[in-house]
Amino acid sequence: MTFTVAIDGLAGSGKGTLALALADKFNLAYFDTGLLYRGLAYVALDEFGEDFTKTNVINIAKSFRVNTLKESNLRSPILGKYASEIGAIPEVRKILIKIQREFKEKSPSNKGIVVDGRDIGTVIFPNANVKLFISASLEERARRRLRDFLTNDENISYDEVIKQLQKRDQRDKERSVAPLVAAKDAHLIDTTNINKEETLEIASSLVAKKLSD
């Protein structure tokens, strides 16, 4: 059985940074499932503009492969907005489950995998060896997102980031299929008042313990 670390959490909570750090530290393969939804948004906008339909996205998803796109093109705020909307489409989530589970089967690392997203520990890999749910206050997440956007020369205000995160949180938690929720056996880590090194230390101890069992 492939050793699996499932990381879920709120937008801007630091789950992606943590997932990448854990993968590097323990030599595990890493998969950011959010790129699937951002990739679908990228293709939909490119082919149909902002008037793309639910049917358009479902058809794109059926033959979609995220590795055909450059990750650097998928990090803009506008793609985050549409990715969240696309992620609320039940048919799309069902199609992408297969792609996410195939990553485990075809993992380039024989030591295991780290996967982060919104429903990894509850839906995609409910039997994961380690489940983490990462959170932080809305204000702290907005500050982090704003810093990232400014670093990438994105013109956006703090208030606008707050509004985007509020809408995304609501959409993630209230969608009909695989709503964002911590798995019952997930370890909860609030990163509001701790830095990424401290977060990694907490998570690493949990992973190391499971690896040694």
Side-chain angles (χ1 to χ4, degrees), residues 54 84-94 97 118-119 122-123 168-181:
K54 173 181 173 180
S84 180
E85 294 177 5
I86 287 172
I89 301 174
E91 295 88 345
V92 170
R93 298 199 77 87
K94 289 177 182 177
I97 283 177
R118 298 292 196 283
D119 59 354
T122 54
V123 176
R168 187 156 190 179
D169 288 350
Q170 182 178 15
R171 191 179 295 118
D172 286 342
K173 293 175 181 178
E174 296 180 358
R175 63 178 177 240
S176 60
V177 175
L180 174 63
V181 62

Side-chain angles (χ1 to χ4, degrees), residues 67-169:
N67 57 9
T68 61
L69 303 173
K70 290 184 179 179
E71 182 176 340
S72 59
N73 293 335
L74 306 179
R75 295 298 183 184
S76 69
I78 189 68
L79 287 183
K81 171 182 179 294
Y82 283 112
S84 180
E85 294 177 5
I86 287 172
I89 301 174
E91 295 88 345
V92 170
R93 298 199 77 87
K94 289 177 182 177
I95 292 170
L96 295 189
I97 283 177
K98 181 180 179 182
I99 295 176
Q100 293 172 79
R101 289 178 176 164
E102 281 180 348
F103 177 75
K104 180 176 180 178
E105 298 170 6
K106 302 175 181 178
S107 170
S109 170
N110 58 12
K111 291 190 175 182
I113 61 175
V114 179
V115 184
D116 79 86
R118 298 292 196 283
D119 59 354
I120 310 306
T122 54
V123 176
I124 309 303
F125 299 121
N127 297 317
N129 302 82
V130 178
K131 297 180 186 179
L132 305 174
F133 189 90
I134 314 303
S135 65
S137 70
L138 175 63
E139 294 76 16
E140 178 59 24
R141 290 186 290 128
R143 282 190 286 270
R144 294 173 186 173
R145 276 293 167 92
L146 180 62
R147 184 170 59 245
D148 290 343
F149 291 150
L150 294 178
T151 298
N152 294 319
D153 295 323
E154 298 285 353
N155 185 21
I156 189 170
S157 69
Y158 175 78
D159 288 342
E160 181 58 30
V161 176
I162 285 281
K163 291 177 183 178
Q164 286 187 5
L165 287 175
Q166 288 174 324
K167 289 181 180 179
R168 187 156 190 179
D169 288 350

